[in-house]
Structure formats: C-alpha cells, structure tokens
C-alpha cells in the first residue's frame, strides 16, 4: 500500500439530498452512478466511463443534527492509516475522526492539517491506483488548497506525505500560488493563502469537462449557482467555481470552445 501514500485517491460528497445531488452531478459532469453500499449504508460510486472517480452518501442523522453541511472531502492515500494519523497529529494536525475500517474497502480517518484544512486518509484493502490529474471529461483535473498561510503550511505535507514543491506563481497582492508534486513528475495541485472572504482553510478540486461554457450552462440549468465566472488559467484551460443545489462547493476545469 506504500505506493499510494501521499497520492490523491478519492473524493466524497456528503449531502442532505442524495438523489437530488446525484441528478445534478450526472447532468453537469456526465458521471454515471452505481450503488456500492455495505453494512446498510446507501453509498453511491460516481464513474467517468469505466473509471471510478468519487463517492456520495447522505449525511448521517447524528452528523446533520450536529450541524454538518453538504460538502466534498478529498482523500489522500496512506500506507498505513493509523501510522499516518499519528504522524499528522505529531506534525501539528488533528485527527477529527479516529481510524476505522470500512468492510471490504479499507481503513480510513478524517484529519486536518496544521492550519485546520480537513481531508481524509485511506488505505485500501486491495491495491489501488493513484491517477494523479487527468483532463479527460469526468476525471479530476487539479487539486487546490486554500491555506491559512501558504508559506508555512507546505512543511506539514512534505513531512507527512513527502510532497515536493514545483513552480511558484506570483499573484501580486494575493501572494504566491505554489504548485506541488505528490510524486516525481508533473504538478498535481497548487496552494495559496485563503482570501478574507473564505472563512476557513479547505481543500478544493476541479472536475474536468469538455467545454467550460457548456458546463456553466448545465450548472445553472440544474439549480446550481456559479460563484466564479470562467477564468483562464495556464495550460489553455478555463475554470469556474460553483455551489450545487444542496450548498456543496465544487469547481470545474476545461477548454473554451
């Protein structure tokens, strides 16, 4: 399992209207949906063609009562979930949900980095792949951390997961957009200091689409709200940021026709 340690391996939506959310993402991204629940949990797997990309489930009643809102969680692979959770705590992070087994799937935990950005870690029961980034429609094209403070958070991920810095992009008053690698080769994401209107640090990721303007139209036609209009980024692609009908934030990346 050490091969996936530090790699982005899964993405999970928790929502208060599962069927409504699934209908929205099917329409916007083209994902197909299949049931994969075990132990009485209604869990759905979202796929792009033959590739499983993400999962979705309803917010458990007890978590909803405690104030949990719809949202996406990014999962990073762990060679050993318990050891990685301990390393996160030792590096200044927090374990928000202690390691637990998912029958026939793996062992997971929910954690936060040293500045409070939450994410998941998981060790699969069976060997799995870490796809990196992929701009094919329906796949994950980029990862992004809105950090409490970009210059000081990277050592946490370097220590726990072995990540390395790539190019740093100067954004003027907004600081540096620091690209990073999770393994030798291409950058798979970027880190920036959150702006004042972002209430807390969090991980974001971008779902690839074939045409950003057509995708924007699908977002609004299906009840979503666009909060960042199309913006060109390096590589000849465009991004948008939006909120689904249940209130979960998400982002898309793709070319402009």
């Amino acid at each position: 399992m050490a091969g996936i340690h530090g790699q982005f391996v899964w993405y999970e939506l928790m929502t208060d209207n599962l069927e409504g959310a699934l209908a929205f993402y099917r329409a916007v991204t083209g994902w197909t949906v299949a049931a994969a629940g075990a132990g009485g949990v209604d869990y759905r797997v979202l796929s792009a063609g033959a590739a499983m990309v993400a999962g979705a489930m309803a917010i458990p009643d007890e978590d909803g009562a405690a104030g949990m809102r719809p949202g996406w969680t990014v999962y990073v692979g762990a060679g050993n979930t318990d050891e990685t959770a301990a390393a996160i705590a030792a590096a200044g992070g927090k374990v928000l949900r202690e390691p637990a087994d998912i029958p026939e799937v793996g062992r997971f935990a929910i954690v936060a980095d040293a500045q409070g950005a939450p994410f998941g870690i998981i060790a699969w029961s069976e060997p799995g792949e870490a796809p990196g980034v992929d701009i094919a429609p329906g796949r994950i094209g980029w990862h992004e951390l809105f950090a409490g403070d970009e210059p000081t958070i990277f050592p946490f991920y370097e220590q726990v997961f072995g990540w390395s810095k790539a190019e740093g992009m100067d954004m003027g008053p907004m600081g540096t957009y620091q690209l990073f690698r999770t393994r030798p080769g291409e950058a798979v994401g970027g880190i920036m200091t959150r702006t004042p209107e972002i209430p807390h640090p969090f991980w974001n990721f971008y779902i690839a689409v074939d045409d950003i303007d057509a995708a924007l139209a699908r977002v609004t036609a299906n009840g979503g709200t666009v909060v960042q209009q199309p913006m060109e980024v390096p590589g000849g692609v465009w991004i948008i940021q939006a909120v689904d009908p249940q209130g979960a934030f998400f982002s898309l990346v793709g070319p402009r026709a």
Side-chain angles (χ1 to χ4, degrees), residues 232-247:
E232 189 172 14
V233 296
V237 293
W238 297 70
I239 61 171
I240 65 170
Q241 296 172 345
V243 177
D244 72 20
Q246 289 70 44

PDB file of all heavy atoms in Angstrom, residues 232-247:
ATOM      1  N   GLU A 232      -9.438  32.154 -17.227  1.00  0.00           N
ATOM      2  CA  GLU A 232      -8.391  31.406 -17.911  1.00  0.00           C
ATOM      3  C   GLU A 232      -7.217  31.181 -16.972  1.00  0.00           C
ATOM      4  O   GLU A 232      -6.818  32.071 -16.220  1.00  0.00           O
ATOM      5  CB  GLU A 232      -7.924  32.141 -19.158  1.00  0.00           C
ATOM      6  CG  GLU A 232      -6.996  31.309 -20.036  1.00  0.00           C
ATOM      7  CD  GLU A 232      -6.690  31.981 -21.355  1.00  0.00           C
ATOM      8  OE1 GLU A 232      -6.973  33.190 -21.496  1.00  0.00           O
ATOM      9  OE2 GLU A 232      -6.159  31.295 -22.250  1.00  0.00           O
ATOM     10  N   VAL A 233      -6.668  29.974 -17.015  1.00  0.00           N
ATOM     11  CA  VAL A 233      -5.508  29.621 -16.206  1.00  0.00           C
ATOM     12  C   VAL A 233      -4.446  29.023 -17.124  1.00  0.00           C
ATOM     13  O   VAL A 233      -4.735  28.650 -18.265  1.00  0.00           O
ATOM     14  CB  VAL A 233      -5.891  28.626 -15.082  1.00  0.00           C
ATOM     15  CG1 VAL A 233      -6.857  29.271 -14.105  1.00  0.00           C
ATOM     16  CG2 VAL A 233      -6.500  27.340 -15.661  1.00  0.00           C
ATOM     17  N   PRO A 234      -3.196  28.930 -16.665  1.00  0.00           N
ATOM     18  CA  PRO A 234      -2.140  28.366 -17.523  1.00  0.00           C
ATOM     19  C   PRO A 234      -2.504  26.982 -18.050  1.00  0.00           C
ATOM     20  O   PRO A 234      -3.131  26.185 -17.360  1.00  0.00           O
ATOM     21  CB  PRO A 234      -0.931  28.301 -16.583  1.00  0.00           C
ATOM     22  CG  PRO A 234      -1.163  29.417 -15.611  1.00  0.00           C
ATOM     23  CD  PRO A 234      -2.648  29.430 -15.389  1.00  0.00           C
ATOM     24  N   GLY A 235      -2.110  26.732 -19.293  1.00  0.00           N
ATOM     25  CA  GLY A 235      -2.419  25.453 -19.923  1.00  0.00           C
ATOM     26  C   GLY A 235      -3.520  25.550 -20.955  1.00  0.00           C
ATOM     27  O   GLY A 235      -3.938  24.540 -21.532  1.00  0.00           O
ATOM     28  N   GLY A 236      -4.031  26.779 -21.168  1.00  0.00           N
ATOM     29  CA  GLY A 236      -5.062  26.961 -22.180  1.00  0.00           C
ATOM     30  C   GLY A 236      -6.430  26.469 -21.777  1.00  0.00           C
ATOM     31  O   GLY A 236      -7.257  26.163 -22.636  1.00  0.00           O
ATOM     32  N   VAL A 237      -6.670  26.361 -20.476  1.00  0.00           N
ATOM     33  CA  VAL A 237      -7.976  25.920 -19.993  1.00  0.00           C
ATOM     34  C   VAL A 237      -8.587  27.000 -19.111  1.00  0.00           C
ATOM     35  O   VAL A 237      -7.928  27.965 -18.715  1.00  0.00           O
ATOM     36  CB  VAL A 237      -7.888  24.588 -19.221  1.00  0.00           C
ATOM     37  CG1 VAL A 237      -7.492  23.453 -20.149  1.00  0.00           C
ATOM     38  CG2 VAL A 237      -6.923  24.710 -18.047  1.00  0.00           C
ATOM     39  N   TRP A 238      -9.872  26.802 -18.799  1.00  0.00           N
ATOM     40  CA  TRP A 238     -10.639  27.763 -18.021  1.00  0.00           C
ATOM     41  C   TRP A 238     -11.239  27.044 -16.815  1.00  0.00           C
ATOM     42  O   TRP A 238     -11.480  25.835 -16.846  1.00  0.00           O
ATOM     43  CB  TRP A 238     -11.754  28.365 -18.868  1.00  0.00           C
ATOM     44  CG  TRP A 238     -11.252  29.154 -20.040  1.00  0.00           C
ATOM     45  CD1 TRP A 238     -10.637  28.661 -21.161  1.00  0.00           C
ATOM     46  CD2 TRP A 238     -11.299  30.575 -20.201  1.00  0.00           C
ATOM     47  NE1 TRP A 238     -10.298  29.684 -22.012  1.00  0.00           N
ATOM     48  CE2 TRP A 238     -10.702  30.867 -21.453  1.00  0.00           C
ATOM     49  CE3 TRP A 238     -11.800  31.606 -19.412  1.00  0.00           C
ATOM     50  CZ2 TRP A 238     -10.593  32.170 -21.935  1.00  0.00           C
ATOM     51  CZ3 TRP A 238     -11.692  32.913 -19.900  1.00  0.00           C
ATOM     52  CH2 TRP A 238     -11.094  33.182 -21.137  1.00  0.00           C
ATOM     53  N   ILE A 239     -11.478  27.816 -15.757  1.00  0.00           N
ATOM     54  CA  ILE A 239     -12.082  27.236 -14.561  1.00  0.00           C
ATOM     55  C   ILE A 239     -13.324  28.024 -14.162  1.00  0.00           C
ATOM     56  O   ILE A 239     -13.461  29.206 -14.480  1.00  0.00           O
ATOM     57  CB  ILE A 239     -11.096  27.216 -13.370  1.00  0.00           C
ATOM     58  CG1 ILE A 239     -10.657  28.644 -12.995  1.00  0.00           C
ATOM     59  CG2 ILE A 239      -9.895  26.336 -13.680  1.00  0.00           C
ATOM     60  CD1 ILE A 239      -9.864  28.742 -11.700  1.00  0.00           C
ATOM     61  N   ILE A 240     -14.243  27.343 -13.477  1.00  0.00           N
ATOM     62  CA  ILE A 240     -15.321  28.016 -12.774  1.00  0.00           C
ATOM     63  C   ILE A 240     -15.433  27.381 -11.397  1.00  0.00           C
ATOM     64  O   ILE A 240     -15.006  26.240 -11.173  1.00  0.00           O
ATOM     65  CB  ILE A 240     -16.689  27.927 -13.498  1.00  0.00           C
ATOM     66  CG1 ILE A 240     -17.194  26.475 -13.549  1.00  0.00           C
ATOM     67  CG2 ILE A 240     -16.620  28.531 -14.880  1.00  0.00           C
ATOM     68  CD1 ILE A 240     -18.632  26.356 -14.033  1.00  0.00           C
ATOM     69  N   GLN A 241     -15.993  28.138 -10.460  1.00  0.00           N
ATOM     70  CA  GLN A 241     -16.295  27.633  -9.131  1.00  0.00           C
ATOM     71  C   GLN A 241     -17.777  27.835  -8.888  1.00  0.00           C
ATOM     72  O   GLN A 241     -18.357  28.846  -9.324  1.00  0.00           O
ATOM     73  CB  GLN A 241     -15.444  28.349  -8.076  1.00  0.00           C
ATOM     74  CG  GLN A 241     -13.963  28.068  -8.253  1.00  0.00           C
ATOM     75  CD  GLN A 241     -13.066  28.887  -7.359  1.00  0.00           C
ATOM     76  OE1 GLN A 241     -13.504  29.876  -6.771  1.00  0.00           O
ATOM     77  NE2 GLN A 241     -11.810  28.496  -7.254  1.00  0.00           N
ATOM     78  N   ALA A 242     -18.408  26.875  -8.235  1.00  0.00           N
ATOM     79  CA  ALA A 242     -19.860  26.901  -8.117  1.00  0.00           C
ATOM     80  C   ALA A 242     -20.315  26.215  -6.839  1.00  0.00           C
ATOM     81  O   ALA A 242     -19.515  25.613  -6.112  1.00  0.00           O
ATOM     82  CB  ALA A 242     -20.481  26.225  -9.341  1.00  0.00           C
ATOM     83  N   VAL A 243     -21.600  26.300  -6.577  1.00  0.00           N
ATOM     84  CA  VAL A 243     -22.231  25.641  -5.440  1.00  0.00           C
ATOM     85  C   VAL A 243     -23.388  24.813  -5.978  1.00  0.00           C
ATOM     86  O   VAL A 243     -24.182  25.302  -6.795  1.00  0.00           O
ATOM     87  CB  VAL A 243     -22.737  26.687  -4.414  1.00  0.00           C
ATOM     88  CG1 VAL A 243     -23.472  25.997  -3.271  1.00  0.00           C
ATOM     89  CG2 VAL A 243     -21.580  27.514  -3.882  1.00  0.00           C
ATOM     90  N   ASP A 244     -23.480  23.557  -5.566  1.00  0.00           N
ATOM     91  CA  ASP A 244     -24.560  22.709  -6.056  1.00  0.00           C
ATOM     92  C   ASP A 244     -25.875  23.077  -5.356  1.00  0.00           C
ATOM     93  O   ASP A 244     -25.895  23.905  -4.430  1.00  0.00           O
ATOM     94  CB  ASP A 244     -24.191  21.222  -5.936  1.00  0.00           C
ATOM     95  CG  ASP A 244     -24.188  20.685  -4.514  1.00  0.00           C
ATOM     96  OD1 ASP A 244     -24.801  21.285  -3.612  1.00  0.00           O
ATOM     97  OD2 ASP A 244     -23.565  19.624  -4.298  1.00  0.00           O
ATOM     98  N   PRO A 245     -27.006  22.515  -5.779  1.00  0.00           N
ATOM     99  CA  PRO A 245     -28.294  22.920  -5.204  1.00  0.00           C
ATOM    100  C   PRO A 245     -28.420  22.673  -3.706  1.00  0.00           C
ATOM    101  O   PRO A 245     -29.245  23.307  -3.038  1.00  0.00           O
ATOM    102  CB  PRO A 245     -29.307  22.067  -5.986  1.00  0.00           C
ATOM    103  CG  PRO A 245     -28.644  21.792  -7.287  1.00  0.00           C
ATOM    104  CD  PRO A 245     -27.196  21.616  -6.938  1.00  0.00           C
ATOM    105  N   GLN A 246     -27.605  21.777  -3.165  1.00  0.00           N
ATOM    106  CA  GLN A 246     -27.651  21.490  -1.725  1.00  0.00           C
ATOM    107  C   GLN A 246     -26.668  22.359  -0.926  1.00  0.00           C
ATOM    108  O   GLN A 246     -26.656  22.306   0.295  1.00  0.00           O
ATOM    109  CB  GLN A 246     -27.373  20.007  -1.467  1.00  0.00           C
ATOM    110  CG  GLN A 246     -28.490  19.075  -1.899  1.00  0.00           C
ATOM    111  CD  GLN A 246     -28.629  18.978  -3.400  1.00  0.00           C
ATOM    112  OE1 GLN A 246     -27.631  18.858  -4.125  1.00  0.00           O
ATOM    113  NE2 GLN A 246     -29.856  19.037  -3.897  1.00  0.00           N
ATOM    114  N   GLY A 247     -25.820  23.114  -1.623  1.00  0.00           N
ATOM    115  CA  GLY A 247     -24.899  24.003  -0.939  1.00  0.00           C
ATOM    116  C   GLY A 247     -23.450  23.556  -0.907  1.00  0.00           C
ATOM    117  O   GLY A 247     -22.625  24.212  -0.261  1.00  0.00           O
TER     118      GLY A 247
END
